[in-house]
Amino acid sequence: MLKPKLKRAVDRYQTTYEGDGQFGLHEIRPLYSDLGLDDENGKYPLHACDQKHVFVHLIKKASQSNNNLQKVAIINAVAEAIGRGGEAKFQTFRDWLFDYLWNVTNTPWKEKKTIQGYAMPRVADEKWYADWYFIMGMYGMCEKGLYRTPQQKSAGLDQVVFPLLHQMKDERASTMVTETIRSALPAEVMNYFSAKSLR
């Protein structure tokens, strides 16, 4: 029974798309945590396209005024949650809790489109660029990630994790993640990557 239905579906697909159908987003490539490859001084630019290279680039250029460490924390949060680029905007400290049984911090994630929430237990990693605790510590200590100005407090942003995202609309937040990723990648391949590359 399954074979005739499958054959009809395949025939219908072939007739409709004439064999030119594509699945997935071929123009957007995944941005893995670490490819473990060297680009050999620019000879292989795709070898430098991973989160580790993006984070190193942002950290080297970090200053008190450019929010690079907050951007590293945002990209890390989105990548670990396999979320949409703008969903980090909804992270609040009030939702976080530490589980003493499992020794993990739970930072629940909320999906923007479905309004579903799910647990995000944070586990330490030996690699600094994949360790949520290290990245959040860097953001908190070096960029005053826990400090809120009086204006931010009066605007109700004292509990939000990433105040940078609250200065923009949801769509712009995702665009900011894309622009941040692309700013750290080789020019000839940067358009292959976006906030969707983290999913």
Side-chain angles (χ1 to χ4, degrees), residues 149-164:
T149 64
Q151 294 85 5
Q152 289 173 324
K153 286 182 181 179
S154 65
L157 300 179
D158 52 336
Q159 291 289 317
V160 301
V161 179
F162 305 117
L164 174 67

Side-chain angles (χ1 to χ4, degrees), residues 30-45:
L31 191 68
Y32 297 111
S33 178
D34 181 17
L35 294 173
L37 302 172
D38 182 20
D39 71 341
E40 298 182 27
N41 294 324
K43 186 176 178 184
Y44 302 107

